[in-house]
Amino acid sequence: MFVRTATASTTAAALLGAGALLLPADRPETPERRDAPVVVAHRGASGYAPENTLAAADAADALGIDWVENDVHRTRDGELVVLHDTSLKRTTDVEQVFPDRAPWAVKDFTAAEIAKLDAGSWFGAQFAGARVPTLTQFLDRLERNRQKLLLEIKSPAAYPGIERDIVRVLGRSGWLDRSHVRSRLVIQSFGADSVKKVHTLRPDVTTGFLGTPAVADLPSYAAFTDQINPSYATIGADYVAAVQRLKGPHGKRLRVNTWTVNKAADAAKARDMGVDGIITNFPDVVRDATS
């Protein structure tokens, strides 16, 4: 569970106090600043709304954050859903709705069963009734908000073939056209083999590897990934520079997006390391600290 911090902006606090998130009307897209890291809302603006829900994507949008990170699993009947854990227990009321189905693994439930669950009350009463979105629903919401997606394939070994399923859904939802592929979509995973599969299926799509490979191993990763996305606790300026000296499969230098940075002081340190992006539960805090 995320802890709300005193550093959160008054803007975000006001949004929560209103009990609803109002979307800005037709915000024009602006180029990303080159002198500050790109800010990515981790599971949506998950410091202010229940993670990986449509409300969390809307919270990021209301704060003016374009990039949203999410996590994708597959249900028993083949639907792709947006949720972080392999189990439904932490962020839904599955124990009450299906008390005899422990350990409540996502892969053991159908999409219709998961659609019955409350994925918001654990975070706050104002989010009661929020649902676990399907990937299609999440993509549609980001499209409506004109946001961008950093999609994480969770536990790919548990879902053989999920890479092809994700590519299929992205294509069906219009997310594999030139404009999306060029500037609005990145697919990442902790599983190197999963990232390789995505690169093989769609060589044009930008990919990211989650982790901190040894510097000596970085050239082998550069063959199939465009980003190395490590934990903030594992890196320094030298490591960031070592990554950025290499070029990825699209002939561009590798980028570094670090996670999960929630404090202003840590965000400033990450910026000074030279990272390209910062993934955070509190995107307004990071933006204000690094801009």
Side-chain angles (χ1 to χ4, degrees):
M1 183 178 296
F2 298 126
V3 178
R4 299 157 184 80
T5 70
T7 57
S9 72
T10 54
T11 300
L15 287 170
L16 280 178
L21 294 166
L22 302 178
L23 302 179
D26 297 329
R27 183 179 69 246
E29 290 198 22
T30 56
E32 296 167 350
R33 291 184 56 174
R34 295 189 179 185
D35 58 344
V38 173
V39 178
V40 182
H42 185 230
R43 309 176 198 170
S46 56
Y48 303 118
E51 62 182 70
N52 277 321
T53 61
L54 301 183
D58 289 345
D61 184 54
L63 292 170
I65 303 300
D66 289 331
W67 278 98
V68 174
E69 185 265 358
N70 76 357
D71 308 282
V72 177
H73 293 264
R74 190 172 63 202
T75 67
R76 190 177 74 192
D77 54 343
E79 185 74 64
L80 299 178
V81 292
V82 178
L83 191 86
H84 178 267
D85 299 359
T86 56
S87 171
L88 294 154
K89 179 179 178 180
R90 180 175 63 87
T91 58
T92 77
D93 61 348
V94 69
E95 286 185 272
Q96 288 73 49
V97 178
F98 298 103
D100 301 323
R101 302 274 294 275
W104 301 287
V106 176
K107 66 181 182 180
D108 294 335
F109 286 78
T110 66
E113 289 171 334
I114 291 175
K116 298 176 182 178
L117 304 177
D118 181 340
S121 292
W122 70 274
F123 190 91
Q126 67 269 44
F127 297 105
R131 302 302 176 191
V132 174
T134 65
L135 178 58
T136 298
Q137 290 168 339
F138 203 87
L139 292 170
D140 289 347
R141 182 57 58 92
L142 295 190
E143 191 66 34
R144 191 189 81 176
N145 294 347
R146 296 201 294 184
Q147 290 170 295
K148 307 174 183 183
L149 177 62
L150 175 58
L151 184 157
E152 180 180 345
I153 304 173
K154 296 298 294 187
S155 305
Y159 310 107
I162 192 173
E163 298 84 6
R164 188 174 296 277
D165 293 338
I166 287 171
V167 167
R168 184 182 304 114
V169 171
L170 287 168
R172 191 171 61 215
S173 298
W175 275 74
L176 291 180
D177 64 14
R178 184 177 178 187
S179 64
H180 286 81
V181 168
R182 183 175 64 238
S183 61
R184 293 182 61 187
L185 176 67
V186 179
I187 301 177
Q188 65 176 358
S189 180
F190 282 99
D193 288 342
S194 189
V195 178
K196 290 177 183 177
K197 288 176 184 177
V198 172
H199 179 63
T200 298
L201 288 167
R202 287 293 305 223
D204 55 331
V205 169
T206 299
T207 56
F209 175 74
L210 281 161
T212 314
V215 171
D217 295 333
L218 288 172
S220 64
Y221 285 84
F224 62 87
T225 192
D226 303 278
Q227 301 178 0
I228 299 293
N229 297 338
S231 165
Y232 168 72
T234 67
I235 61 170
D238 290 346
Y239 186 82
V240 173
V243 173
Q244 294 171 340
R245 279 194 290 268
L246 298 172
K247 290 185 177 181
H250 295 108
K252 299 178 181 179
R253 73 165 179 83
L254 293 186
R255 294 174 64 87
V256 177
N257 298 315
T258 191
W259 49 271
T260 304
V261 180
N262 292 325
K263 296 180 180 179
D266 291 338
K269 290 179 182 177
R271 175 200 60 201
D272 293 344
M273 289 178 194
V275 302
D276 299 288
I278 298 176
I279 302 170
T280 173
N281 303 336
F282 297 95
D284 54 330
V285 173
V286 170
R287 177 189 58 203
D288 294 348
T290 57
S291 59

